[in-house]
Amino acid sequence: MPTLVHEFAWPDRVVIGTIGVPGARTFYLQVRSGKQIVSIALEKQQSAQLAEKIDEILDQLITLESNPFSVPKGTPIELVDNDQLETVTEQFRTGAMTLGWDPTTAQVVIEAYPITEVDSDDTVESLAENDAEVPEMLLVRMPVGTARAFAKRTREVVGAGRPACPLCGYPVDPDGHVCTLPEV
């Protein structure tokens, strides 16, 4: 069965955002181009790692000798996007993701695939296949300035959650926190 690819070559908007209160937030990668909009759910850790790795790719490109790409060291102010998510209809929950660089278009490339599960025969099947639906993926290509702005916003969204306990490092809930210190 062919895979349904939600492809965005030069998106108008690509952001990480959340729905819910800290401690119960759902993270979404949302991409829009014209009227086409796709929102996929992902974990907080996936969001944080994506931002970190995008910055690493861009920072490495800056250090290349005779670098033909104009990679910004910071976030271009005109690309800052602090708006809320648009209407969210979850396309799928993200399992595997890949991140790359396309030198022919000078774009960061994100591929996201739905969560897969292992059945009792130890074979991997897509949840979409189990539901007899068409397998799908998200493919996003974004220019370097947009990628830098995406990473900055993502770090801010991830950091806006519950504060960490100074003793144990676990999140502190609004209604309190009981931490168990490691035994020495």
Side-chain angles (χ1 to χ4, degrees):
M1 186 178 309
T3 300
L4 173 60
V5 179
H6 305 282
E7 185 172 2
F8 295 85
W10 293 91
D12 298 329
R13 184 174 197 225
V14 54
V15 295
I16 295 283
T18 62
I19 295 178
V21 297
R25 297 185 296 171
T26 301
F27 284 74
Y28 291 95
L29 168 57
Q30 188 173 76
V31 190
R32 178 178 45 80
S33 186
K35 292 183 179 183
Q36 180 189 13
I37 187 166
V38 171
S39 303
I40 61 171
L42 65 165
E43 297 296 324
K44 178 180 181 178
Q45 294 81 1
Q46 288 173 307
S47 303
Q49 186 110 42
L50 189 57
E52 179 184 329
K53 296 302 180 185
I54 285 173
D55 274 339
E56 282 181 19
I57 287 173
L58 297 175
D59 291 345
Q60 287 176 359
L61 288 169
I62 290 172
T63 64
L64 292 176
E65 282 188 39
S66 67
N67 179 8
F69 311 109
S70 178
V71 179
K73 290 184 180 184
T75 302
I77 192 71
E78 65 275 9
L79 297 178
V80 172
D81 181 347
N82 292 322
D83 294 337
Q84 296 292 319
L85 291 173
E86 297 176 47
T87 302
V88 173
T89 302
E90 184 178 311
Q91 197 68 39
F92 59 82
R93 179 159 286 283
T94 306
M97 296 180 79
T98 64
L99 181 64
W101 170 251
D102 184 349
T104 62
T105 61
Q107 291 178 305
V108 173
V109 181
I110 300 171
E111 293 179 358
Y113 302 89
I115 290 177
T116 57
E117 66 180 20
V118 178
D119 68 14
S120 59
D121 296 330
D122 291 327
T123 60
V124 176
E125 293 184 39
S126 167
L127 290 175
E129 290 172 0
N130 290 340
D131 294 337
E133 294 178 9
V134 175
E136 57 190 322
M137 69 170 284
L138 174 66
L139 174 61
V140 181
R141 298 171 175 276
M142 59 182 140
V144 292
T146 302
R148 193 64 91 178
F150 172 87
K152 179 182 186 297
R153 176 193 166 116
T154 301
R155 285 191 310 278
E156 291 170 355
V157 168
V158 168
R162 298 173 290 171
C165 172
L167 298 174
C168 69
Y170 287 104
V172 177
D173 291 321
D175 57 345
H177 172 73
V178 177
C179 62
T180 307
L181 297 175
E183 293 183 27
V184 184

